Amino acid sequence: MPVSAALLLAVLNPMGLRQATDAESRTLYARLAAPFYSAAGQAEIAVVLIDDETLSAMGESFPPSFGMYGALVETVEMAGGRGVFFDLAFLDKRGAPGSLEAFADTLSLLPVVLGAPKTALDASQCGRPGLTNLAPLAARAAEEAHVNIAQDSSQVFLRSTDPCRPGGRPAAAAALYRIWCAGRSDCSVPDDAAPMAVRWGEAFPAGYAAAHPGLHGLDAVCPSAAHRLLRSARILLGELGYGLGGEQSLRLPPLCSYHPVLKAEWLLAPDGTHADARAVMDLLRERMVLIGGSLSGEQDIAHSPVFGDVPGVYVHAMALDNLMTLGSRYYRPWPGLWGGLGWNDLIEVLLLALFGWCGNWLRHRYRRGRQEENAWRNVRAAALVAGLLLLAGLVVGLGTVLACVEVLRFEPINWVGLFLACWVIAYPMVVELLERAAACPRGGWRRNGRAA
């Protein structure tokens, strides 16, 4: 009965239980694996953020002027940046006469990718306003890429269908990766449209703390590449309820990030914002620079399993990093199998059946063997059975996850659900052993000849 109940929970998904444990499995594994993510692409990417403080410091209103955007492109070009991506849409003319054309001219200084505003539903909508950026900008841009993020910010489709564009539209990360790969022989540009399951790193970027006084000391409190195994172990123990130092000790300080995040005013007015101009320019040199916003009038918030709620441009930066680091071997969601179920669900059902068989074998073996009349031995047996099944669920679940992720390059299976299912499978035998202990005569509670 417990095995059947566990299998039904895995397949039927009552009240979204399977989806909830699926999401927790992905999130927790992402946190456990973040310390081990390769830093091969970290020094190739920088993020520039425009927020309310930027507008105040630069004397701008919302939306910012084309002149400010053009100045950002010019600064990146002077610093030696390799390309720029705007995670912003430019739909309306504004500002002084000629400002739009001046901004468009800066797009010729280096490859610039613009975010496509949205995708047409069908071919009849092609050519309507609002589907592309302003014509002078679209004509000069290297690419207009889609900026869609799926599955709670954990997936990016490297190519989306677009009825107005034969062959579809590349994602921002894919478009930037092709620019970055120009002239390189070590790139493997993916040709298929398989979605990416974004993998996150957490190590603090080298040289970032020198960019501004507000960042000083972060390299000492944000995660580093050292003690990776210890940090993963603390995260796992914290999730199991035995965190060393409590849950607060596992949370990252707010300004921690995997790529350097530079405020736009540090680029445009370093003297007035106390930024270190040389350090800022060094963090832009030879990098792909992604420019995004976190403004009160235009919220673009995504979720990172490592850093929590972040501006959406962070996800595009991490997806680009995945391509730089992994190439065509980036991580993918599981393919579908039947009726909304995937191959991962089949693996989970087989593992549940295995755990159920082990639980029943232990139960029947105990019933056939000499049943203890000593209460303490029954209690120890109950603890042993529960511990073995839970340990098996954790070890086998994590081991299967490692095989699926690191060998097959798929997302983690629902190992949190497997761990919880082991509780369900172990429960009947634990209850039976404890009931037998409670029914033992008073002498059954003696240990070493003494009353307990």
Side-chain angles (χ1 to χ4, degrees):
M1 183 63 182
V3 180
S4 302
L7 291 173
L8 287 174
L9 289 175
V11 175
L12 297 181
N13 188 31
M15 296 179 288
L17 183 60
R18 176 165 58 88
Q19 289 177 334
T21 52
D22 264 333
E24 181 61 21
S25 296
R26 290 192 299 267
T27 298
L28 182 51
Y29 183 80
R31 294 177 61 202
L32 295 173
F36 300 95
Y37 180 76
S38 171
Q42 188 178 38
E44 305 287 339
I45 298 170
V47 174
V48 173
L49 199 62
I50 301 171
D51 60 13
D52 295 334
E53 292 181 0
T54 302
L55 301 184
S56 177
M58 301 305 301
E60 295 275 349
S61 58
F62 179 82
S65 66
F66 292 127
M68 194 186 88
Y69 293 127
L72 286 173
V73 175
E74 291 173 343
T75 303
V76 173
E77 191 272 335
M78 287 189 295
R82 300 186 60 180
V84 171
F85 164 62
F86 280 100
D87 188 21
L88 303 162
F90 302 100
L91 302 177
D92 303 310
K93 291 184 178 180
R94 57 182 183 274
S99 61
L100 172 60
E101 290 71 18
F103 175 34
D105 289 339
T106 65
L107 304 190
S108 302
L109 297 176
L110 73 171
V112 177
V113 175
L114 301 179
K118 58 182 179 179
T119 303
L121 298 177
D122 53 56
S124 65
Q125 294 185 341
C126 297
R128 290 185 179 181
L131 294 180
T132 62
N133 290 283
L134 293 168
L137 302 178
R140 298 289 187 92
E143 180 64 87
E144 282 188 289
H146 84 79
V147 294
N148 301 326
I149 304 171
Q151 194 69 30
D152 297 328
S153 309
S154 67
Q155 293 180 11
V156 171
F157 290 86
L158 295 185
R159 183 167 295 276
S160 68
T161 57
D162 190 329
C164 304
R165 177 168 172 164
R169 189 178 295 278
L176 291 169
Y177 183 62
R178 288 185 178 276
I179 294 171
W180 182 77
C181 285
R184 299 177 66 100
S185 60
D186 57 344
C187 281
S188 54
V189 180
D191 295 324
D192 59 8
M196 170 191 290
V198 180
R199 181 89 173 263
W200 287 81
E202 68 169 16
F204 192 73
Y208 177 35
H212 191 272
L215 304 175
H216 292 174
L218 278 181
D219 48 353
V221 297
C222 292
S224 66
H227 310 298
R228 296 179 296 179
L229 186 60
L230 177 60
R231 175 153 179 82
S232 286
R234 291 185 65 187
I235 292 171
L236 181 58
L237 290 173
E239 289 293 331
L240 291 174
Y242 298 98
L244 303 178
E247 182 183 358
Q248 292 291 337
S249 67
L250 302 177
R251 295 180 181 176
L252 299 180
L255 294 179
C256 291
S257 64
Y258 185 71
H259 300 107
V261 179
L262 307 172
K263 301 286 289 297
E265 63 268 29
W266 299 352
L267 280 66
L268 303 178
D271 294 337
T273 56
H274 307 291
D276 186 320
R278 178 174 295 181
V280 169
M281 298 297 270
D282 286 344
L283 290 170
L284 297 174
R285 186 172 296 114
E286 294 295 321
R287 298 190 188 224
M288 305 300 292
V289 180
L290 291 82
I291 302 175
S294 180
L295 297 157
S296 299
E298 187 173 317
Q299 289 291 325
D300 178 21
I301 302 299
H303 182 76
S304 162
V306 177
F307 300 104
D309 290 337
V310 295
V313 68
Y314 285 35
V315 180
H316 298 299
M318 204 66 236
L320 173 59
D321 193 295
N322 281 201
L323 288 175
M324 291 177 173
T325 303
L326 304 169
S328 59
R329 284 178 50 79
Y330 62 86
Y331 301 94
R332 293 166 165 81
W334 284 90
L337 182 59
W338 173 79
L341 300 177
W343 285 99
N344 55 319
D345 298 302
L346 177 60
I347 294 174
E348 292 158 15
V349 168
L350 293 176
L351 288 175
L352 277 175
L354 174 63
F355 293 148
W357 179 85
C358 291
N360 284 331
W361 179 80
L362 287 172
R363 189 178 183 184
H364 291 308
R365 180 188 174 113
Y366 174 78
R367 284 178 172 175
R368 288 197 305 267
R370 183 174 63 87
Q371 297 183 4
E372 296 287 350
E373 295 184 357
N374 184 288
W376 284 112
R377 290 181 180 176
N378 283 304
V379 171
R380 288 197 299 268
L384 181 62
V385 169
L388 285 176
L389 281 174
L390 292 176
L391 183 62
L394 188 62
V395 172
V396 175
L398 275 176
T400 307
V401 165
L402 287 173
C404 293
V405 173
E406 304 303 335
V407 178
L408 301 178
R409 318 302 281 186
F410 287 120
E411 283 185 309
I413 64 169
N414 189 355
W415 61 281
V416 172
L418 291 173
F419 180 70
L420 296 177
C422 286
W423 280 95
V424 177
I425 294 170
Y427 178 76
M429 187 171 181
V430 171
V431 170
E432 182 176 334
L433 290 169
L434 293 178
E435 287 177 347
R436 182 169 296 279
C440 284
R442 181 174 178 81
W445 288 94
R446 293 180 179 272
R447 293 180 296 177
N448 300 325
R450 296 181 180 178

